[in-house]
Amino acid sequence: MTADNRRADFRIGVPAHYVRQMAAWTCADLAPLRLGLARLGSPLLLQSKREEAAVRLLDISIQGLGLSIDPSHPGVEALVKAEACHIYLKLWDPSVDQPYGVLSVFTSNRIVRVVRREDRLLLGTRFVRFAVGSRLEKELEFLDAQVCGVTALAHWCDNLSRGEFANPGEARTGLDLDNLLAELSYVLSSGGGAGPGANEDLK
């Protein structure tokens, strides 16, 4: 196996608290280079609270991503029957220099695998295109993702794999209210204690 193939096949598991928001749409055509928001419409699946997620991001590679889906959700049947889908990810992207950072990525994907496992459906995708926001109109402008993948997402995976991201609450002593649930999850999972520099209770 060549180094390039090894890198392309490498998949990294994504901790649940790194996903701030995710949405999925069915896609009938992967060819258009522009897509207006009105034409995109409302998503079939939306995750904004991971405890109640109908869809969860399991892993990412340079070529695609894996989702775990609750089969009872109303939008699942249409997604599973589709050959392609759009997926929007808003990921926690913390670093020491930018502890409040996020990475937002919109991809067009070919659905390559659907497997039922226990009470969930596992769905595998391959990136075909990724989008950037138009500077002039409420439209998505697409670039090819099949040759080099999604560069920003590959960089994000590399940083996560190397442990170069700060966990919520570690990069600073204050509280980022925009990421309250992720910060809460970190504090509770680390024993419920206050982080360094936290104020003592007033007596």
Side-chain angles (χ1 to χ4, degrees), residues 16-34:
H17 63 268
Y18 278 86
V19 183
R20 291 187 59 188
Q21 195 171 54
M22 177 167 51
W25 298 255
T26 57
C27 174
D29 186 1
L30 293 172
L33 298 180
R34 298 177 68 89

PDB file of all heavy atoms in Angstrom, residues 16-34:
ATOM      1  N   ALA A  16     -18.081  13.023  20.321  1.00  0.00           N
ATOM      2  CA  ALA A  16     -19.387  13.659  20.133  1.00  0.00           C
ATOM      3  C   ALA A  16     -19.362  15.153  20.453  1.00  0.00           C
ATOM      4  O   ALA A  16     -20.034  15.950  19.784  1.00  0.00           O
ATOM      5  CB  ALA A  16     -20.434  12.953  21.000  1.00  0.00           C
ATOM      6  N   HIS A  17     -18.568  15.558  21.461  1.00  0.00           N
ATOM      7  CA  HIS A  17     -18.613  16.964  21.851  1.00  0.00           C
ATOM      8  C   HIS A  17     -17.870  17.873  20.874  1.00  0.00           C
ATOM      9  O   HIS A  17     -17.900  19.092  21.017  1.00  0.00           O
ATOM     10  CB  HIS A  17     -18.071  17.156  23.275  1.00  0.00           C
ATOM     11  CG  HIS A  17     -16.637  16.801  23.457  1.00  0.00           C
ATOM     12  ND1 HIS A  17     -16.224  15.549  23.845  1.00  0.00           N
ATOM     13  CD2 HIS A  17     -15.504  17.538  23.294  1.00  0.00           C
ATOM     14  CE1 HIS A  17     -14.912  15.527  23.935  1.00  0.00           C
ATOM     15  NE2 HIS A  17     -14.445  16.716  23.597  1.00  0.00           N
ATOM     16  N   TYR A  18     -17.204  17.308  19.865  1.00  0.00           N
ATOM     17  CA  TYR A  18     -16.573  18.133  18.842  1.00  0.00           C
ATOM     18  C   TYR A  18     -17.553  18.529  17.734  1.00  0.00           C
ATOM     19  O   TYR A  18     -17.218  19.349  16.879  1.00  0.00           O
ATOM     20  CB  TYR A  18     -15.372  17.412  18.230  1.00  0.00           C
ATOM     21  CG  TYR A  18     -14.128  17.546  19.054  1.00  0.00           C
ATOM     22  CD1 TYR A  18     -13.864  16.662  20.092  1.00  0.00           C
ATOM     23  CD2 TYR A  18     -13.214  18.562  18.815  1.00  0.00           C
ATOM     24  CE1 TYR A  18     -12.724  16.789  20.869  1.00  0.00           C
ATOM     25  CE2 TYR A  18     -12.073  18.692  19.584  1.00  0.00           C
ATOM     26  CZ  TYR A  18     -11.838  17.802  20.607  1.00  0.00           C
ATOM     27  OH  TYR A  18     -10.716  17.939  21.374  1.00  0.00           O
ATOM     28  N   VAL A  19     -18.743  17.947  17.730  1.00  0.00           N
ATOM     29  CA  VAL A  19     -19.741  18.264  16.707  1.00  0.00           C
ATOM     30  C   VAL A  19     -20.751  19.242  17.295  1.00  0.00           C
ATOM     31  O   VAL A  19     -21.568  18.879  18.135  1.00  0.00           O
ATOM     32  CB  VAL A  19     -20.462  16.998  16.212  1.00  0.00           C
ATOM     33  CG1 VAL A  19     -21.454  17.350  15.101  1.00  0.00           C
ATOM     34  CG2 VAL A  19     -19.451  15.973  15.720  1.00  0.00           C
ATOM     35  N   ARG A  20     -20.692  20.479  16.850  1.00  0.00           N
ATOM     36  CA  ARG A  20     -21.631  21.485  17.358  1.00  0.00           C
ATOM     37  C   ARG A  20     -22.950  21.431  16.602  1.00  0.00           C
ATOM     38  O   ARG A  20     -24.004  21.692  17.170  1.00  0.00           O
ATOM     39  CB  ARG A  20     -21.019  22.884  17.230  1.00  0.00           C
ATOM     40  CG  ARG A  20     -19.839  23.114  18.162  1.00  0.00           C
ATOM     41  CD  ARG A  20     -19.391  24.551  18.127  1.00  0.00           C
ATOM     42  NE  ARG A  20     -20.466  25.452  18.528  1.00  0.00           N
ATOM     43  CZ  ARG A  20     -20.374  26.778  18.438  1.00  0.00           C
ATOM     44  NH1 ARG A  20     -19.277  27.333  17.961  1.00  0.00           N
ATOM     45  NH2 ARG A  20     -21.374  27.544  18.816  1.00  0.00           N
ATOM     46  N   GLN A  21     -22.897  21.117  15.306  1.00  0.00           N
ATOM     47  CA  GLN A  21     -24.119  21.061  14.511  1.00  0.00           C
ATOM     48  C   GLN A  21     -23.859  20.229  13.261  1.00  0.00           C
ATOM     49  O   GLN A  21     -22.752  20.238  12.726  1.00  0.00           O
ATOM     50  CB  GLN A  21     -24.564  22.476  14.120  1.00  0.00           C
ATOM     51  CG  GLN A  21     -25.989  22.563  13.612  1.00  0.00           C
ATOM     52  CD  GLN A  21     -26.439  24.008  13.440  1.00  0.00           C
ATOM     53  OE1 GLN A  21     -25.790  24.796  12.760  1.00  0.00           O
ATOM     54  NE2 GLN A  21     -27.548  24.355  14.062  1.00  0.00           N
ATOM     55  N   MET A  22     -24.888  19.514  12.833  1.00  0.00           N
ATOM     56  CA  MET A  22     -24.785  18.727  11.608  1.00  0.00           C
ATOM     57  C   MET A  22     -26.158  18.662  10.958  1.00  0.00           C
ATOM     58  O   MET A  22     -27.177  18.565  11.638  1.00  0.00           O
ATOM     59  CB  MET A  22     -24.261  17.323  11.915  1.00  0.00           C
ATOM     60  CG  MET A  22     -24.184  16.421  10.690  1.00  0.00           C
ATOM     61  SD  MET A  22     -23.224  14.912  11.014  1.00  0.00           S
ATOM     62  CE  MET A  22     -24.006  14.325  12.506  1.00  0.00           C
ATOM     63  N   ALA A  23     -26.188  18.700   9.635  1.00  0.00           N
ATOM     64  CA  ALA A  23     -27.441  18.600   8.895  1.00  0.00           C
ATOM     65  C   ALA A  23     -27.201  17.803   7.622  1.00  0.00           C
ATOM     66  O   ALA A  23     -26.086  17.783   7.093  1.00  0.00           O
ATOM     67  CB  ALA A  23     -27.982  19.991   8.554  1.00  0.00           C
ATOM     68  N   ALA A  24     -28.257  17.132   7.141  1.00  0.00           N
ATOM     69  CA  ALA A  24     -28.148  16.316   5.925  1.00  0.00           C
ATOM     70  C   ALA A  24     -29.368  16.520   5.035  1.00  0.00           C
ATOM     71  O   ALA A  24     -30.491  16.653   5.528  1.00  0.00           O
ATOM     72  CB  ALA A  24     -28.002  14.839   6.282  1.00  0.00           C
ATOM     73  N   TRP A  25     -29.120  16.557   3.733  1.00  0.00           N
ATOM     74  CA  TRP A  25     -30.153  16.681   2.712  1.00  0.00           C
ATOM     75  C   TRP A  25     -29.940  15.584   1.671  1.00  0.00           C
ATOM     76  O   TRP A  25     -28.804  15.198   1.398  1.00  0.00           O
ATOM     77  CB  TRP A  25     -30.054  18.012   1.960  1.00  0.00           C
ATOM     78  CG  TRP A  25     -30.229  19.264   2.717  1.00  0.00           C
ATOM     79  CD1 TRP A  25     -31.329  20.079   2.714  1.00  0.00           C
ATOM     80  CD2 TRP A  25     -29.250  19.936   3.547  1.00  0.00           C
ATOM     81  NE1 TRP A  25     -31.106  21.186   3.494  1.00  0.00           N
ATOM     82  CE2 TRP A  25     -29.847  21.122   4.020  1.00  0.00           C
ATOM     83  CE3 TRP A  25     -27.952  19.620   3.937  1.00  0.00           C
ATOM     84  CZ2 TRP A  25     -29.173  22.010   4.859  1.00  0.00           C
ATOM     85  CZ3 TRP A  25     -27.276  20.489   4.792  1.00  0.00           C
ATOM     86  CH2 TRP A  25     -27.886  21.662   5.238  1.00  0.00           C
ATOM     87  N   THR A  26     -31.006  15.103   1.052  1.00  0.00           N
ATOM     88  CA  THR A  26     -30.825  14.242  -0.115  1.00  0.00           C
ATOM     89  C   THR A  26     -30.381  15.117  -1.288  1.00  0.00           C
ATOM     90  O   THR A  26     -30.641  16.323  -1.329  1.00  0.00           O
ATOM     91  CB  THR A  26     -32.113  13.503  -0.491  1.00  0.00           C
ATOM     92  OG1 THR A  26     -33.160  14.457  -0.727  1.00  0.00           O
ATOM     93  CG2 THR A  26     -32.536  12.546   0.605  1.00  0.00           C
ATOM     94  N   CYS A  27     -29.724  14.489  -2.260  1.00  0.00           N
ATOM     95  CA  CYS A  27     -29.183  15.223  -3.403  1.00  0.00           C
ATOM     96  C   CYS A  27     -29.411  14.397  -4.660  1.00  0.00           C
ATOM     97  O   CYS A  27     -28.952  13.256  -4.744  1.00  0.00           O
ATOM     98  CB  CYS A  27     -27.699  15.476  -3.175  1.00  0.00           C
ATOM     99  SG  CYS A  27     -26.845  16.206  -4.566  1.00  0.00           S
ATOM    100  N   ALA A  28     -30.107  14.970  -5.622  1.00  0.00           N
ATOM    101  CA  ALA A  28     -30.397  14.250  -6.857  1.00  0.00           C
ATOM    102  C   ALA A  28     -29.313  14.435  -7.915  1.00  0.00           C
ATOM    103  O   ALA A  28     -29.183  13.627  -8.825  1.00  0.00           O
ATOM    104  CB  ALA A  28     -31.746  14.709  -7.421  1.00  0.00           C
ATOM    105  N   ASP A  29     -28.514  15.494  -7.786  1.00  0.00           N
ATOM    106  CA  ASP A  29     -27.547  15.815  -8.833  1.00  0.00           C
ATOM    107  C   ASP A  29     -26.271  16.359  -8.187  1.00  0.00           C
ATOM    108  O   ASP A  29     -26.309  17.365  -7.479  1.00  0.00           O
ATOM    109  CB  ASP A  29     -28.150  16.845  -9.791  1.00  0.00           C
ATOM    110  CG  ASP A  29     -27.268  17.128 -10.989  1.00  0.00           C
ATOM    111  OD1 ASP A  29     -26.189  16.511 -11.100  1.00  0.00           O
ATOM    112  OD2 ASP A  29     -27.666  17.968 -11.814  1.00  0.00           O
ATOM    113  N   LEU A  30     -25.149  15.694  -8.443  1.00  0.00           N
ATOM    114  CA  LEU A  30     -23.868  16.134  -7.884  1.00  0.00           C
ATOM    115  C   LEU A  30     -23.089  17.031  -8.837  1.00  0.00           C
ATOM    116  O   LEU A  30     -21.990  17.456  -8.515  1.00  0.00           O
ATOM    117  CB  LEU A  30     -23.012  14.914  -7.529  1.00  0.00           C
ATOM    118  CG  LEU A  30     -23.525  14.045  -6.377  1.00  0.00           C
ATOM    119  CD1 LEU A  30     -22.698  12.769  -6.275  1.00  0.00           C
ATOM    120  CD2 LEU A  30     -23.499  14.804  -5.070  1.00  0.00           C
ATOM    121  N   ALA A  31     -23.657  17.311 -10.022  1.00  0.00           N
ATOM    122  CA  ALA A  31     -22.923  18.048 -11.051  1.00  0.00           C
ATOM    123  C   ALA A  31     -22.911  19.569 -10.880  1.00  0.00           C
ATOM    124  O   ALA A  31     -21.912  20.206 -11.209  1.00  0.00           O
ATOM    125  CB  ALA A  31     -23.485  17.696 -12.435  1.00  0.00           C
ATOM    126  N   PRO A  32     -23.998  20.204 -10.399  1.00  0.00           N
ATOM    127  CA  PRO A  32     -24.011  21.674 -10.365  1.00  0.00           C
ATOM    128  C   PRO A  32     -22.852  22.259  -9.565  1.00  0.00           C
ATOM    129  O   PRO A  32     -22.435  21.710  -8.552  1.00  0.00           O
ATOM    130  CB  PRO A  32     -25.348  21.995  -9.683  1.00  0.00           C
ATOM    131  CG  PRO A  32     -26.216  20.813  -9.966  1.00  0.00           C
ATOM    132  CD  PRO A  32     -25.276  19.644  -9.935  1.00  0.00           C
ATOM    133  N   LEU A  33     -22.343  23.382 -10.053  1.00  0.00           N
ATOM    134  CA  LEU A  33     -21.242  24.058  -9.388  1.00  0.00           C
ATOM    135  C   LEU A  33     -21.727  25.172  -8.468  1.00  0.00           C
ATOM    136  O   LEU A  33     -20.942  25.743  -7.713  1.00  0.00           O
ATOM    137  CB  LEU A  33     -20.275  24.636 -10.422  1.00  0.00           C
ATOM    138  CG  LEU A  33     -19.608  23.604 -11.333  1.00  0.00           C
ATOM    139  CD1 LEU A  33     -18.666  24.296 -12.306  1.00  0.00           C
ATOM    140  CD2 LEU A  33     -18.845  22.565 -10.501  1.00  0.00           C
ATOM    141  N   ARG A  34     -23.023  25.485  -8.530  1.00  0.00           N
ATOM    142  CA  ARG A  34     -23.614  26.496  -7.651  1.00  0.00           C
ATOM    143  C   ARG A  34     -24.956  25.993  -7.156  1.00  0.00           C
ATOM    144  O   ARG A  34     -25.681  25.303  -7.874  1.00  0.00           O
ATOM    145  CB  ARG A  34     -23.798  27.829  -8.391  1.00  0.00           C
ATOM    146  CG  ARG A  34     -22.506  28.462  -8.871  1.00  0.00           C
ATOM    147  CD  ARG A  34     -22.778  29.741  -9.647  1.00  0.00           C
ATOM    148  NE  ARG A  34     -23.286  30.788  -8.798  1.00  0.00           N
ATOM    149  CZ  ARG A  34     -22.517  31.660  -8.140  1.00  0.00           C
ATOM    150  NH1 ARG A  34     -21.203  31.599  -8.261  1.00  0.00           N
ATOM    151  NH2 ARG A  34     -23.041  32.595  -7.393  1.00  0.00           N
TER     152      ARG A  34
END
